[in-house]
């Protein structure tokens, strides 16, 4: 599996296919279809289209085994998640990312280990953090500013 940065966008529906393949490490089309039909009440042609898109995007490899196709991930799950989250954060005003992350953390179930890791990471980041993050919505020489 490649650990390179994800350069294609994956739709919400395609994420659901990828999560199955990542969890199983590989999956045949029958398994993917069966699980998604059960989880989301999707039809086989829709799921086959999603799988095909992921193959074209380079996210899944396909191998024919008898009459069945086997799909394996070509992108690392953690890398894909990191890239997707960073892409979303990059769309937001830099000045408001912290508040958005706080709201997400309040809504997200986390393990104690996850929370300890977040505390450690934030503690390490704190000494180098600026007092305030500048707005990056407008050119730096513009006189307008974001409201916090």
């Amino acid at each position: 599996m490649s650990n390179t940065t994800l350069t294609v966008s994956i739709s919400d529906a395609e994420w659901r296919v990828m999560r199955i393949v990542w969890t199983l490490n590989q999956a045949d089309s029958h398994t993917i279809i069966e699980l998604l039909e059960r989880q989301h009440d999707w039809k086989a042609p829709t799921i086959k289209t999603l799988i095909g898109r992921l193959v074209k995007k380079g996210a899944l490899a396909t191998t024919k085994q008898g009459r069945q196709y086997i799909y394996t991930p070509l992108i690392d799950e953690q890398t894909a998640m990191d890239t997707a989250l960073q892409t979303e954060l990059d769309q937001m005003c830099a000045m408001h990312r912290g508040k958005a992350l706080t709201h997400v953390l309040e809504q997200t179930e986390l393990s104690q280990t996850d929370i300890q890791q977040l505390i450690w990471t934030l503690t390490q980041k704190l000494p180098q953090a600026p007092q305030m993050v500048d707005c990056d919505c407008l050119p730096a020489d513009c006189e307008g500013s974001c409201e916090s």
Side-chain angles (χ1 to χ4, degrees):
M1 187 174 351
S2 171
N3 283 324
T4 58
T5 303
L6 180 65
T7 57
V8 296
S9 68
I10 297 176
S11 72
D12 291 346
E14 291 166 347
W15 270 99
R16 296 182 195 273
V17 173
M18 289 303 299
R19 287 178 56 197
I20 289 170
V21 180
W22 281 320
T23 300
L24 299 175
N25 295 317
Q26 67 176 22
D28 59 56
S29 54
H30 177 75
T31 301
I32 297 169
I33 290 167
E34 181 181 315
L35 289 169
L36 288 173
E37 281 179 334
R38 208 175 335 141
Q39 291 174 355
H40 302 287
D41 195 32
W42 294 348
K43 302 300 177 209
T46 300
I47 298 164
K48 288 178 184 178
T49 298
L50 295 171
I51 293 169
R53 285 185 196 158
L54 288 165
V55 170
K56 285 180 186 170
K57 289 180 178 185
L60 290 176
T62 182
T63 309
K64 190 161 172 84
Q65 203 172 66
R67 296 177 65 204
Q68 189 67 270
Y69 286 99
I70 307 296
Y71 299 94
T72 54
L74 290 174
I75 55 174
D76 177 69
E77 181 177 18
Q78 188 64 56
T79 301
M81 290 189 303
D82 294 348
T83 301
L85 185 55
Q86 189 62 56
T87 299
E88 289 299 315
L89 288 171
D90 289 346
Q91 303 306 313
M92 299 175 195
C93 174
M95 188 175 182
H96 300 291
R97 288 179 192 145
K99 192 181 297 184
L101 284 170
T102 298
H103 290 154
V104 168
L105 288 172
E106 289 170 352
Q107 303 296 318
T108 303
E109 183 177 18
L110 299 167
S111 71
Q112 290 184 9
T113 301
D114 291 336
I115 293 169
Q116 287 299 325
Q117 182 63 49
L118 286 166
I119 291 168
W120 183 87
T121 301
L122 291 171
T123 301
Q124 297 301 307
K125 227 173 148 52
L126 185 60
Q128 292 82 29
Q131 194 68 30
M132 187 174 131
V133 176
D134 292 333
C135 171
D136 62 353
C137 297
L138 301 172
D141 60 348
C142 182
E143 295 196 22
S145 67
C146 285
E147 297 292 320
S148 42

